[in-house]
Amino acid sequence: MPSFMHKSVLVGEVLAALGPRPGGRYVDGTLGGGGHAAAILAASSPTGWLYGCDRDGAAVEAAQGRLAEFAGRCELRQASFAGLADWVPADSCDGVLLDLGVSSFQLDRAERGFSFQQDGPLDMRMDTRQRDNAADLVNRAGAEELSRLFWELGGERQARRLARAIVDRRRERPFETTGSLAALIEEAAPRRGARTHPATKVFQALRMAVNDEPGALPRGLDAALMVLKSGGRLAVVTFNSLEDRLVKNFGRMQARDYTFTGAQDVPELRQPRVPTLKVLMRNAVRPGAAELADNPRSRSAQLRVMEKI
Ligand SMILES: C[S@@+](CC[C@H](N)C(=O)[O-])C[C@H]1O[C@@H](n2cnc3c(N)ncnc32)[C@H](O)[C@@H]1O
């Protein structure tokens, strides 16, 4: 098995946002290879504590190895960050980090089925205990549903054409591998000269759907708010515009000193309330030139930081 290769993104910026210190309690809801977690534990030495989780058992195992030197200062488990509040005490933490998406380790291992660049089973489950994988979705969903997923989760402009091509092809033979799906996409929607592979958006959409990423994120943000103490910081790194919008809107809603019912915010119908969060910066932070040169996979990363009131 190859060692866990993942370059953590925006590490300095995340540390600046969370400000780890001795005695502080922190959560890393997306351990991956444990890079951010190690940085948080090192910066909060000798008494800082970390609760860490990842949906992927292989990630938790890798993080356990990486964080061995901090044994006795962390509790790690295989779990979704959506359920953080079930095991992390309420109002107890000084900082929560969510670094969303997939790790390079997941992408680079063909047998996990996340990558269109290497042939492997069409899987994409982060938690391999989950029943349905990407092949189940691709071979069973109707053309309308596939098209909606490709457009809404991937921003794929040729969503309909690709969904129809998939449904036609699977009548002959169900899709079992990433390679067969990537080849069909290249055939149905060739993009000569494009910078990205034609299957990029469809693969992103399928991964997000298989792992219910748009459903987990709002639950994770609510859970983070519950476990943070007053003055605690929430740092979220996103890799696509849908997730960034969800995080931005969550911050906006929680920072409001009023609520409203109905679809429209009509000033006369506002109900005053105490806001729960402060948004610490108007714009998301992006990697600088040095990080982009060192780690091209960081190019779509955006960090947003909020503080619980
Ligand atoms: C970008 S990587 C994190 C890398 C990590 N920060 C590091 O420094 O190595 C994203 C990780 O989040 C995990 N993940 C995605 N959604 C999750 C969820 N709902 N709950 C827990 N982990 C999740 C993935 O399995 C993956 O390991």
Side-chain angles (χ1 to χ4, degrees):
M1 181 167 121
S3 60
F4 200 107
M5 289 297 296
H6 177 83
K7 280 188 183 165
S8 308
V9 303
L10 295 165
V11 177
E13 292 82 351
V14 165
L15 288 180
L18 298 182
R21 52 172 177 78
R25 298 178 94 78
Y26 304 92
V27 172
D28 184 344
T30 49
L31 280 170
H36 283 111
I40 292 169
L41 281 161
S44 62
S45 283
T47 50
W49 175 268
L50 182 104
Y51 297 99
C53 67
D54 199 292
R55 293 180 73 176
D56 188 330
V60 177
E61 207 179 297
Q64 260 153 357
R66 174 88 183 258
L67 302 177
E69 64 179 296
F70 304 106
R73 288 180 51 207
C74 52
E75 178 181 343
L76 312 182
R77 17 176 118 185
Q78 182 180 4
S80 169
F81 54 63
L84 266 182
D86 298 341
W87 58 287
V88 176
D91 304 311
S92 70
C93 294
D94 299 279
V96 174
L97 168 66
L98 302 178
D99 173 24
L100 303 171
V102 270
S103 66
S104 307
F105 179 69
Q106 289 165 325
L107 282 172
D108 293 343
R109 293 188 67 192
E111 70 272 24
R112 299 296 305 271
F114 286 104
S115 171
F116 46 78
Q117 276 157 342
Q118 305 176 64
D119 197 19
L122 192 52
D123 190 332
M124 302 195 192
R125 289 168 303 163
M126 289 177 181
D127 183 346
T128 53
R129 301 169 303 186
Q130 179 183 310
R131 202 190 52 192
D132 288 346
N133 64 17
D136 295 315
L137 182 59
V138 166
N139 292 318
R140 286 189 206 148
E144 282 289 309
E145 187 186 348
L146 287 173
S147 166
R148 183 184 60 77
L149 292 177
F150 298 165
W151 171 245
E152 288 180 5
L153 303 183
E156 171 57 65
R157 284 168 190 269
Q158 311 215 49
R160 234 190 244 169
R161 176 206 287 232
L162 289 172
R164 235 178 287 129
I166 287 172
V167 170
D168 285 346
R169 181 65 56 87
R170 77 187 186 197
R171 283 199 197 102
E172 296 162 23
R173 197 164 172 219
F175 288 94
E176 284 170 7
T177 63
T178 53
S180 60
L181 180 61
L184 185 266
I185 294 169
E186 268 187 290
E187 192 185 308
R191 262 168 249 180
R192 286 178 200 95
R195 269 196 320 144
T196 51
H197 189 285
T200 306
K201 293 177 173 177
V202 166
F203 270 61
Q204 175 186 304
L206 288 173
R207 188 205 83 216
M208 291 178 77
V210 166
N211 297 290
D212 186 25
E213 293 174 46
L217 181 53
R219 296 202 299 277
L221 294 171
D222 284 339
L225 198 53
M226 279 191 242
V227 303
L228 279 171
K229 57 164 82 147
S230 173
R233 299 265 176 98
L234 169 60
V236 189
V237 181
T238 61
F239 291 86
N240 61 62
S241 53
L242 175 76
E243 283 171 345
D244 184 57
R245 208 165 43 243
L246 277 171
V247 176
K248 188 162 98 179
N249 288 339
F250 173 80
R252 270 202 199 137
M253 294 293 287
Q254 300 293 337
R256 277 191 184 136
D257 58 1
Y258 63 87
T259 57
F260 59 91
T261 46
Q264 298 271 340
D265 176 9
V266 182
E268 292 74 29
L269 299 179
R270 288 177 180 172
Q271 307 275 335
R273 64 141 196 200
V274 180
T276 47
L277 273 182
K278 235 181 344 195
V279 175
L280 292 189
M281 43 184 106
R282 260 171 70 88
N283 297 320
V285 177
R286 290 171 169 276
E291 178 163 7
L292 287 171
D294 177 55
N295 180 14
R297 278 181 179 171
S298 71
R299 68 185 173 276
S300 42
Q302 300 197 67
L303 167 69
R304 291 192 184 271
V305 186
M306 295 152 243
E307 186 175 292
K308 183 164 169 179
I309 292 175

